[in-house]
Structures are given as C-alpha cells and as structure tokens.
Amino acid sequence: MTSLADRPVNPVVGLTVSHESADLHVTGAALYTDDLVVRTPAALHAWPLQAPHAHARITSMRVDPAYDVDGVVKVLTAADVPGVNDAGIHHDEPLFPTEARYFGHAVCWVLGETLDAARRGAEAIEVEYETLPSLLTLSEAIAAGSFQGAQPTVSRGDAAGALQRAPRRFTGEFEFGGQEHFYLETHAALAHVDEAGQVFVHSSTQHPTETQEIVAHVLGLTSAEVTVQQLRMGGGFGGKEMQPHGLAAVAALGAVLTGRPVRLRLTRTQDMTMTGKRHPFHATWEVGFDEEGRILALQATITADGGWSLDLSQAVLGRALCHIDNAYFIPDIEVLGRIARTNKTSQTAFRGFGGPQGMLVIEDILGRCAPALGIDPGELRSRNFYEPGQATPYGQPVRHAERLHEIWEQLTDRADIARRQAAVAEFNETHAHVKRGLAMTPVKFGISFNLTAFNQAGALVHVYKDGSVLINHGGTEMGQGLYTKMRQVAATALGVPLTAIRHVPTRTDKVPNTSATAASSGADLNGGAIKNACEQIRERLAEVAARKLNIHPDDVRFVDGKVTGIGFTDTEMSFAEVVRAAYLQRVPLFAAGYYRTEGLHWDSARMQGEPFKYFAYGAAATEVEVDGFTGAYRFLRTDIVHDVGDSLSPLIDIGQIEGGFVQGAGWLTLEELRWDVSDGPGRGRLATQGASTYKLPSFSEMPEQLNVHLYERATESGVVYGSKAVGEPPLMLAFSVREALRQAAMAFGPADHVLELASPATPEAVFWAVQDARAAADGPATAEDARADAAPGPVEDADNLGLVASGDAVAAGRDGRLAHAGGGFTGHGDGAVDTGHRTVGAGAAGSGATVARASDG
C-alpha cells in the first residue's frame, strides 16, 4: 500500500473535470427519489395531518371519517406500529405522538390512491386537543429554565482571574437566528416490500444506515431485513442527516400494512413547517484584552434553541464550543453550553454543524470591541491569530497555524486591501448618505466527526473482465460532487482513465454500517476506503503483470490504462489485458475497502482531546455599499483565499467555496425565520413558509465581483491524496460580509462608536444600525439617553460597553429617531414604539424584545 497522501505519475485527481451528473442535471434526466413513483405501479400516496397548536395534548382522534373519502386506503396511527413508535436516536421523537409539541407536528398519516385523496382524508379526521403552555423564543426558554440534554463546558486556565486582571474588559449579549435548508428537493421516500418480506426504501437521506436502523426498529425487524438506497439528493446541507428517518419509516410502515408501494414527498410548506433548521443561538459573554488588543480571557454562556427534541443538538453544541475560538488564541477561557427546549421544529444539522454559531460569537465580539479599543478590526483579528505550537482550549495542537498568517497576507495582497481601504475612506468622506465598508475575516474549521466512531468508511470495488470498473461506498451524493471525486480517486489508484470508472447509487446492502455524509468528511473517509480497495486489486494485478513482464511486482506501473515496468517503456500491456490474465489465473478482481481516521481521541464529558484530523483554513475580504435612507445594500466585491490541501477536483472545490460562501451570506444577511409569538390561536405557526416569505440569496445577492483562489503548496499528510475537506469551511467566509456591513453602518457615526448589528443583518437591521450610528454622531446625550431608556437593566464593564448587549430593545430618542440598543431585533415582537410621528408595530423588535419610549421623545 502507498502512503495515503502520495500521488502517482499522471494522477486523475487534481484534474479539472465537470460534475459526473452535470449533463443529467441540466437536461432534467437525473432521477431523484420521487421520480421513481411514475415507474412504480399501484403506489399509494401519503399525507400528514398536522397539529394546529404549538403545544397540545391529543384527547381524542376519530379516523373513521377519513375512510368515507373516496380513494383513502389506510390511516396510519400509533396502533399500527409493530415495533418501536419512535423516529429518533434518543427515543424522544414519537413517530405518532400523543402530544403535539410544535405547530405543524404530524399526528397521523393518510394513505390514498392519489395525493388529493390522501389530503382530503386527512382533512376529514376529527381531532380534539387540550392546549398546553408553550415556549417559543430562547428568551422564554431561558427564563423558564427549559433545557434538555447535557450542559458541557470547554475551559482552560483561570478565566475569571484573568478577566479581573485584564486592563480592558467588555461584556455583551447576542442572539442570532437560524436558517432554513431550502434544498431544491424536499424530503421524499418510496417504500415497497418484495415477495420474501424484504423492505426496500428509496430515501433522500444523507445517512442511509441510520435510516435503515430507524425503519427496522419501527417495523420490529432486523437491519438485514431492510435495504435503503439513495440515488442522489437535490441538496441536503445537513437537513437530510436525521430528519428523513421517520418519513422513511412512515412509507415503509404503509407498504408493510397495505402490501403496496407507498410514496411520501413533502410539499415545500410541509417541509418548512415539519423539519428542523439551523439552531438559533443566544450568547452572554465577558472578554478581556491587554493594552495591545490581545485577548487575555473569555467567559461565556451559549444557548442553542434545540426545538422540541434533542435530535443532533448535543453534537451541534459540542462543535460550537470547539469553534468559539475560531482562528484566535485565547489563553484563559470558560464557555458553558446549554440546549433550550422550545415548542418549535426539532432543530438539526446544517452546514457547519454548530461551528458557524460558535465562530459568529467571537467574530461579533471582535467586531464590537475594535472601535472601543481604537484598533482596526482586521488588525485586531490578525494580532490574535494562533501561532505555531499553540493549542485550542480543548487541547488540540493547531497544526500548520502559519497557514493562517500566510493566507491572510496573500488575501491582503490579492485583494489590494491597503489601496481599497483608502478608496473606501475617500468615498465615505464625500458621500453623506451612502457609505462603504471593507472587512476581512479568517476561518479555522476542524474536520472530522466529533463522535470518533463515525470516522470510518467502507467501499466495494469491482473490476470486470473487460477492464471496466464499478465503485460503491457509503457516501451520498447531494450535488456536492462526492461521486465525481470518488471516480477520480479510483481512476488514480488503479491507473486507468476516468471513463473506465462507473459509480452506482449508495445502498445499505453493498456497504454496511456507514456514517452520515456530513462533517465535511465524505471525501476523506470514502476516498480512503476507495483507495484501499483499489490498491488491494492493483497489488494482485501487479503480481500477474510482473510474471508476464518478468520483473518484480514493485516495479510494475499502472498509468493511463497501460501497464509497464520501470525501464521497460518499450513493453506494455493494456489494463484490460492484465485483468483478463488475472481472471484466467483465478485472481479475485473485487475488493472491500476500509478506512478509519487515525489519531483521533475525544472525551465529550471533559471536552478535551483531539477530535479533528486537521483544520481547514481560509480568509475572505468583502466590500459593501449601504444606503443610509433604507438600509439597502450592495455586495460589491469578495476575495477569497481558501485552503483545500491538494485539491482532488479543483472545479468541484471552487464551486463548493462559492456555494458555501453564498449560503453563509444568506444566513447572516437575508434568511430570517419568523414564528407567530402572539398569544392568539396562531401561536407557534411558522410565518415564513415558502420562497414568497423567506428570502433566499439569488444571483442579485452575489458579489458583483467574486474572486476565489485555492491556497497553494498545501498538501495535507495523512489524508487521501493530500486533499482537505471543502464542504463546510467556506460557509464561514461569509462573516466578512456581515463585518463589512457593520463597517459601512459605522461610517455614518463617530469612529469610536460601538455598533451592534443584528443577525441576520437584513436591510431593516442595517437601517437601525445606521440610525444608531447617526444618533451617536448627533451627540452623546441623544445616543446615551436612548440607550439608557432602552436597556433592560444595568450592565457594568470597564469601558462602558455593556450596552453592546443584545437587550433586544428599540427606543425613541429625543429627536424622534429610533435608536436600537440590542442585536437580533429584527425578530418578532408585539410591542410598538411611539416616535411622535408614526408607530412601528409587531416585527420591529426581536424575540423577547424590550420596547421603550424615550422620556421626552
């Protein structure tokens, strides 16, 4: 076997090739799970009955009226479950609940000959509910002490003592929103049972093995009696890691009970109202700096909104805690993590898996504190970068920390930062009502599953007598290009052209016990397994070729479909010839490959160890322009330098960097989830149920100029062909967009003014930030009076920065302007602010907002 990172002569990895399904995608010929229903005779269709309450006990349910609807075949309830009535891994997610825990919770499912029949059948069912108290916001849950799961702490040194000694201390509070996955393909499953009782489920899932296990335990079967296949996904982003299991189980249960195939596909509204999202977070913090702006200590509490059940919240929180340092060395630190239980969808995995939330906290802290410290935000960040030899708060050495500095310097040069900063300053001096901002932010993201056991993968490789190759592994294709990379890995390992490699859909009866395609580990894990299987076959073929060439097997070379020996350039055989000879000599031409990530250990109770194989680094610089009258903004330019090691497939990686960046920008600037938090009958209802009400980034939100450069000379040892993961790390490059918006809004006020910015930084949020900056420019009395009246309570600190706290407060100043004194205020609130001119009603203030009127406004 060769070293995992070594590349042979003329490798196929590293070549710029298009996505393996690109032609199928653009022509509409690519098959997805729900496309199979037209090929499945007599399939039934499933429709959910969703509860109209945020929290309610089901006191009675009459399903008989559904059977009076023409075309209804079966109503599925808890009484029909032969196994375990639970769809989760923590046994806290009943498939058919007796208590609705969020608005839209499916209480039963109807199967019909047509989708319309199933829908009308669900409408006919009579359910009586006893409404119960509900908690919807993080503020409500924290006040009520409503928490679930473990409460881990990551710590090092003496944070409290270091804060006491710190020359500069600041405190704050920050609450920021979640994000809807909005994959193009909604959740879908198609199940049928064969003549032997084998249950076969097509599922749009990132974790076929776990889907298999949940289906099996709901049906009371063994895993060997259930097969799950995943063709491809129209996007996943983490939303199909845990959430598909129960839906697949419903389809499988229906198929078992009726003897007919069952198709389940959620509408967009159902998908948005029934499935989990990125976790919103709340943070309180105190940070200390020395006189040069170096971080001395951090104490914080971060609280994730987990929704109604645990799902993956504990793992998400763990990764958030492991990334709250981002790229910065914090000598003394103590951060407590909690998971709130609320009556909303069970929040789940989303690209970055808690890392973005943890990193956003420290980036917001630095963005807020830089003006008070009198240090340029970019300079403040770079002064605190990890240096070689330093370790994270959880004890992992930061290998290749020098890359952070090199990437930062490269970006500074490539983006022409010094000249453009001067140009921005000149522009802002000459434009009273339009301002620009330019910001740089770094990324350090750990790659591997925090749960060490998940860091393994298997593969199955077949070589046929004609020299063609078929590969399979446990990774799933959701558009990210994993199958493309795996074909390149196999072609490289076998020394054959890419055209010789065929990839087949992922299914549990070919490669068992697989991990989710998540944690950016798909290429690392499955690539290692593919390479291992191919090398087993190649070593056998080398023995055959060596006898024909009369050389030692170690001297046989496989290149571009030809088999030669060192020094035998005039003698060669085709790969197919060697394969045929191997078959005639009864040499096996298939192999099962396996890979486990070495060097990992993690104690989740102590939050100590080395959970990551390596760190992916990157940095981005973004320039924006903000209209002071409306808060509307333009993304003018973004420059990115990102570390992907030695790229397996550069075109795929650049696409992932661009896509991740835009998705991150959507989370931080546009995508605002809103729930009805009133006490009316609609309490708990998701108000943003589709593209008409939930703003997604589109071409118009792309930077007018986007430059992506892959960091060079970046081979990562111990990883397949020296590459690095690229799925999640680029999302955090979008912090540069948010910080650029902060810089632009700050330009409307004094340079030392501490400016909070809500997340998402919608145009509305930016407008209020501009108003805050302008109020500060009008004079200390105006701004401070507004802040004092709006603040929910005194917060003391050494630099009068306590009101960077997200008190979720909006107040009217003496001059009638609205001054915002808290981040996150663009969420929901029912209070109103009387400015003397107009009333700003519900939606102007954040969750748990304090709305105040200045004493003389």
Side-chain angles (χ1 to χ4, degrees):
M1 300 294 176
T2 62
S3 166
L4 193 61
D6 288 346
R7 296 189 175 190
V9 176
N10 297 338
V12 180
V13 293
L15 298 182
T16 297
V17 301
S18 62
H19 193 286
E20 52 90 28
S21 291
D23 291 347
L24 300 178
H25 290 160
V26 298
T27 60
L31 283 178
Y32 295 85
T33 297
D34 198 52
D35 293 322
L36 301 177
V37 70
V38 299
R39 303 179 176 203
T40 310
L44 297 175
H45 303 261
W47 190 273
L49 175 60
Q50 296 181 259
H53 303 287
H55 191 196
R57 185 177 296 110
I58 300 170
T59 57
S60 70
M61 180 186 295
R62 291 186 63 250
V63 302
D64 291 346
Y67 289 103
D68 296 331
V69 176
D70 187 42
V72 169
V73 174
K74 177 68 177 175
V75 179
L76 301 177
T77 67
D80 296 307
V81 177
V84 180
N85 180 32
D86 196 276
I89 59 174
H90 300 289
H91 301 289
D92 62 345
E93 298 182 47
L95 189 60
F96 300 98
T98 57
E99 187 176 301
R101 299 295 296 275
Y102 65 94
F103 197 108
H105 201 161
V107 297
C108 67
W109 290 79
V110 179
L111 307 181
E113 298 284 358
T114 66
L115 195 61
D116 187 61
R119 177 186 60 79
R120 289 186 292 109
E123 291 173 351
I125 295 173
E126 298 170 0
V127 185
E128 293 183 3
Y129 298 90
E130 175 192 351
T131 57
L132 301 170
S134 59
L135 300 171
L136 293 179
T137 69
L138 270 168
S139 299
E140 291 173 349
I142 292 170
S146 176
F147 301 108
Q148 56 184 325
Q151 297 192 8
T153 298
V154 63
S155 63
R156 173 174 58 196
D158 177 15
L163 283 171
Q164 290 295 323
R165 297 187 295 272
R168 310 294 300 275
R169 291 170 57 194
F170 309 101
T171 63
E173 185 176 344
F174 184 33
E175 183 172 339
F176 48 94
Q179 186 177 20
E180 168 61 40
H181 299 89
F182 219 103
Y183 21 67
L184 292 180
E185 176 204 26
T186 59
H187 278 278
L190 176 65
H192 69 266
V193 183
D194 68 14
E195 75 283 356
Q198 179 79 11
V199 179
F200 193 95
V201 182
H202 295 276
S203 176
S204 183
T205 175
Q206 292 176 236
H207 200 344
T209 289
E210 201 165 76
T211 300
Q212 174 193 32
E213 292 168 349
I214 296 296
V215 169
H217 88 224
V218 168
L219 297 180
L221 302 175
T222 65
S223 291
E225 296 172 284
V226 177
T227 299
V228 173
Q229 175 168 289
Q230 187 268 335
L231 291 174
R232 56 168 56 84
M233 281 173 280
F237 311 120
K240 296 177 181 175
E241 182 175 348
M242 275 284 295
Q243 306 279 303
H245 309 335
L247 302 173
V250 168
L253 176 62
V256 168
L257 294 177
T258 65
R260 294 172 60 179
V262 172
R263 168 254 196 167
L264 186 158
R265 181 187 63 81
L266 300 183
T267 66
R268 179 63 63 188
T269 297
Q270 289 168 345
D271 201 292
M272 294 187 73
T273 56
M274 292 173 63
T275 67
K277 301 149 197 344
R278 184 186 296 281
H279 292 70
F281 266 61
H282 175 276
T284 57
W285 51 265
E286 183 172 5
V287 66
F289 294 87
D290 66 16
E291 295 292 357
E292 283 72 46
R294 291 181 177 84
I295 303 172
L296 298 176
L298 173 67
Q299 272 191 323
T301 297
I302 60 174
T303 306
D305 184 346
W308 74 281
S309 67
L310 267 179
D311 195 271
L312 289 167
S313 294
Q314 292 185 127
V316 167
L317 179 65
R319 186 168 282 262
L321 290 170
C322 287
H323 284 80
I324 199 162
D325 58 327
N326 191 14
Y328 313 111
F329 179 67
I330 307 174
D332 293 274
I333 184 171
E334 182 181 51
V335 184
L336 167 67
R338 305 181 298 187
I339 303 165
R341 187 193 301 274
T342 58
N343 294 110
K344 291 191 291 200
T345 54
S346 187
Q347 314 317 352
T348 190
F350 200 126
R351 196 174 192 170
F353 202 80
Q357 290 97 315
M359 294 158 73
L360 180 57
V361 172
I362 191 66
E363 291 300 334
D364 188 67
I365 288 172
L366 295 179
R368 291 190 190 190
C369 295
L373 290 167
I375 301 173
D376 174 79
E379 174 63 24
L380 180 63
R381 289 180 165 89
S382 63
R383 284 186 193 180
N384 285 285
F385 283 170
Y386 276 101
E387 300 287 347
Q390 293 178 333
T392 65
Y394 46 91
Q396 175 149 358
V398 181
R399 287 198 311 119
H400 301 313
E402 68 280 357
R403 291 189 182 183
L404 271 171
H405 301 266
E406 293 167 3
I407 287 170
W408 194 260
E409 290 168 6
Q410 281 191 25
L411 179 64
T412 300
D413 292 340
R414 297 182 71 90
D416 199 9
I417 294 298
R419 181 194 63 77
R420 289 171 58 206
Q421 282 180 330
V424 166
E426 182 180 354
F427 179 91
N428 290 342
E429 282 291 323
T430 57
H431 293 76
H433 302 296
V434 179
K435 303 291 184 183
R436 290 181 176 176
L438 175 60
M440 290 175 62
T441 57
V443 168
K444 175 187 70 67
F445 190 83
I447 302 297
S448 292
F449 286 98
N450 276 64
L451 181 61
T452 303
F454 280 174
N455 295 290
Q456 59 178 307
L460 184 61
V461 175
H462 296 167
V463 176
Y464 294 96
K465 287 184 287 184
D466 62 358
S468 61
V469 182
L470 183 145
I471 64 173
N472 185 263
H473 54 81
T476 60
E477 176 62 53
M478 62 193 91
Q480 83 279 36
L482 177 63
Y483 283 8
T484 307
K485 288 185 173 183
M486 295 305 95
R487 291 180 66 228
Q488 290 181 266
V489 167
T492 299
L494 289 172
V496 299
L498 188 61
T499 53
I501 310 294
R502 178 170 177 255
H503 201 302
V504 293
T506 304
R507 51 190 285 171
T508 57
D509 59 355
K510 291 184 178 177
V511 178
N513 308 322
T514 59
S515 299
T517 306
S520 303
S521 64
D524 288 1
L525 296 180
N526 296 290
I530 289 281
K531 185 171 185 286
N532 174 257
C534 290
E535 288 182 340
Q536 292 177 51
I537 296 169
R538 194 186 67 202
E539 287 186 0
R540 297 171 199 159
L541 294 178
E543 295 278 355
V544 175
R547 289 192 289 270
K548 284 190 169 290
L549 296 172
N550 197 28
I551 60 175
H552 192 278
D554 289 348
D555 294 332
V556 175
R557 294 292 180 266
F558 297 78
V559 181
D560 298 333
K562 303 295 182 182
V563 184
T564 62
I566 297 176
F568 288 81
T569 55
D570 57 339
T571 305
E572 67 176 31
M573 296 182 292
S574 71
F575 182 78
E577 286 178 294
V578 177
V579 167
R580 179 68 179 174
Y583 170 75
L584 293 174
Q585 296 174 32
R586 296 185 293 180
V587 173
L589 295 171
F590 60 91
Y594 180 76
Y595 173 76
R596 64 190 293 271
T597 309
E598 300 290 343
L600 304 180
H601 61 94
W602 179 242
D603 185 336
S604 59
R606 295 175 52 244
M607 293 294 288
Q608 289 292 306
E610 297 187 24
F612 306 122
K613 179 66 175 176
Y614 57 83
F615 294 103
Y617 302 110
T622 295
E623 184 176 352
V624 301
E625 184 176 285
V626 168
D627 184 315
F629 292 116
T630 64
Y633 42 74
R634 295 166 54 208
F635 298 161
L636 301 178
R637 175 176 168 179
T638 294
D639 294 84
I640 292 169
V641 176
H642 194 75
D643 173 18
V644 298
D646 283 346
S647 176
L648 292 176
S649 193
L651 191 62
I652 295 293
D653 284 348
I654 288 174
Q656 284 291 288
I657 292 169
E658 292 173 343
F661 168 78
V662 171
Q663 191 168 49
W667 169 50
L668 294 168
T669 65
L670 297 171
E671 300 181 44
E672 186 173 22
L673 291 161
R674 293 186 174 227
W675 278 267
D676 184 339
V677 296
S678 72
D679 292 327
R683 178 173 172 81
R685 176 182 176 273
L686 180 66
T688 47
Q689 297 187 9
S692 61
T693 51
Y694 184 78
K695 176 62 175 172
L696 291 163
S698 60
F699 285 119
S700 59
E701 278 76 44
M702 285 284 288
E704 295 173 17
Q705 185 177 352
L706 177 59
N707 304 310
V708 177
H709 177 71
L710 300 182
Y711 179 64
E712 297 164 342
R713 297 179 298 281
T715 301
E716 184 65 29
S717 61
V719 187
V720 62
Y721 291 128
S723 66
K724 275 189 175 183
V726 72
E728 293 167 300
L731 186 135
M732 281 69 76
L733 296 167
F735 292 148
S736 62
V737 177
R738 183 172 185 269
E739 290 306 308
L741 289 171
R742 189 201 302 272
Q743 293 299 108
M746 284 174 57
F748 287 93
D752 62 348
H753 177 60
V754 173
L755 188 76
E756 316 116 50
L757 183 61
S759 189
T762 61
E764 179 189 9
V766 172
F767 171 78
W768 292 115
V770 169
Q771 293 296 93
D772 185 29
R774 281 177 163 164
D778 288 345
T782 300
E784 290 307 314
D785 285 353
R787 287 170 177 267
D789 283 340
V795 182
E796 296 184 4
D797 61 57
D799 285 276
N800 194 32
L801 195 61
L803 289 178
V804 299
S806 165
D808 283 334
V810 180
R814 281 197 178 97
D815 60 352
R817 288 180 177 157
L818 290 181
H820 170 245
F825 58 90
T826 56
H828 294 291
D830 296 305
V833 181
D834 183 2
T835 66
H837 303 289
R838 60 193 178 115
T839 298
V840 180
S847 300
T850 302
V851 181
R853 182 178 183 276
S855 56
D856 57 347

